[in-house]
């Protein structure tokens, strides 16, 4: 029996070129398909927050997480799958609209508490935020009008309450990374000269 399920992984990483490629390579090496990935600045200057959703067994996810700590730019990783989280997704939906269908589309937008953010002669762009189920539902309701374009951000998540799941380590070096990258801490070539 498989214990595969969708995991939500939150990572705090340094803002450096190539970090995303290094992290994606770790997932690829283990043959995981990243279902969604969002990246943006965190509350700490110089650090970004990544949110992954990945389908897999818990022990496999744990192994990849350990591998991710070997990427020197990774500061902290947390699997929040079992935590009480607030999770949201943003979608922009461009749907075909005529004089006859605009009223019906506006009713759907109101029901889902979405917003019309652009009006064209033959289309509307709708902004919707919420859970993946809500986004799925509004997309399904708008589909009969003719979807012209759709973009979804993927899940972003934050643990409920006052705790901070992904917290940067203190700058005095008191907290150490649980895993080190190959060669980390070893003398560099030429450093003994």
């Amino acid at each position: 029996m498989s214990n595969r399920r969708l995991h939500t992984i939150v990572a705090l990483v340094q803002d450096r070129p190539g970090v995303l490629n290094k992290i994606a390579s770790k997932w690829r090496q283990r043959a995981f398909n990243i279902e969604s990935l969002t990246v943006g600045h965190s509350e700490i200057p110089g650090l970004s927050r990544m949110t992954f959703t990945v389908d897999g067994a818990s022990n496999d996810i744990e192994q990849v997480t350990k591998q991710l700590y070997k990427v020197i730019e990774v500061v902290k990783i947390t699997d929040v799958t079992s935590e009480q989280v607030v999770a949201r997704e943003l979608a922009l939906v461009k749907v075909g609209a005529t004089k006859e269908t605009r009223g019906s589309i506006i009713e759907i937008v109101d029901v889902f508490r979405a917003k019309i953010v652009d009006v064209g002669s033959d289309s509307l762009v709708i902004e919707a935020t919420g859970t993946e189920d809500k986004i799925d539902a509004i997309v399904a309701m708008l589909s009969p009008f003719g979807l012209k374009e759709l973009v979804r951000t993927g899940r972003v998540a934050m643990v409920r309450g006052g705790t901070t799941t992904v917290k940067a380590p203190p700058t005095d070096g008191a907290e150490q990374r649980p895993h080190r990258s190959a060669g980390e801490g070893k003398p560099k070539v030429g450093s003994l000269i």
Side-chain angles (χ1 to χ4, degrees), residues 130-151:
T131 63
E132 289 95 338
D133 291 343
K134 176 183 173 182
I135 302 298
D136 290 342
I138 191 170
V139 169
M141 293 294 289
L142 293 172
S143 291
F145 299 99
L147 292 183
K148 292 178 173 272
E149 208 169 349
L150 170 67
V151 61

Side-chain angles (χ1 to χ4, degrees), residues 104-180:
S104 300
I105 294 171
I106 290 170
E107 285 180 22
I108 293 169
V109 168
D110 289 342
V111 166
F112 284 92
R113 287 186 241 160
K115 291 191 290 188
I116 295 172
V117 292
D118 186 63
V119 177
S121 59
D122 61 350
S123 66
L124 297 170
V125 177
I126 296 154
E127 173 191 306
T129 57
T131 63
E132 289 95 338
D133 291 343
K134 176 183 173 182
I135 302 298
D136 290 342
I138 191 170
V139 169
M141 293 294 289
L142 293 172
S143 291
F145 299 99
L147 292 183
K148 292 178 173 272
E149 208 169 349
L150 170 67
V151 61
R152 297 174 69 156
T153 61
R155 181 184 295 178
V156 292
M158 185 174 284
V159 174
R160 292 182 183 271
T163 60
T164 304
T165 303
V166 180
K167 185 171 134 185
T171 55
D172 63 359
E175 185 176 327
Q176 298 294 318
R177 292 159 38 95
H179 306 279
R180 296 191 309 177

Side-chain angles (χ1 to χ4, degrees), residues 59-139:
N59 55 341
D60 292 334
I61 299 292
E62 185 180 333
Q63 290 301 314
V64 177
T65 301
K66 287 178 180 174
Q67 291 293 315
L68 290 175
Y69 271 117
K70 294 182 178 179
V71 177
I72 193 81
E73 293 88 354
V74 171
V75 176
K76 179 81 178 174
I77 301 171
T78 306
D79 184 347
V80 298
T81 307
S82 300
E83 303 285 335
Q84 292 290 322
V85 297
V86 176
R88 294 290 183 268
E89 183 174 342
L90 167 71
L92 293 176
V93 185
K94 186 181 290 182
V95 63
T98 63
K99 284 182 181 177
E100 294 77 28
T101 62
R102 283 182 194 270
S104 300
I105 294 171
I106 290 170
E107 285 180 22
I108 293 169
V109 168
D110 289 342
V111 166
F112 284 92
R113 287 186 241 160
K115 291 191 290 188
I116 295 172
V117 292
D118 186 63
V119 177
S121 59
D122 61 350
S123 66
L124 297 170
V125 177
I126 296 154
E127 173 191 306
T129 57
T131 63
E132 289 95 338
D133 291 343
K134 176 183 173 182
I135 302 298
D136 290 342
I138 191 170
V139 169

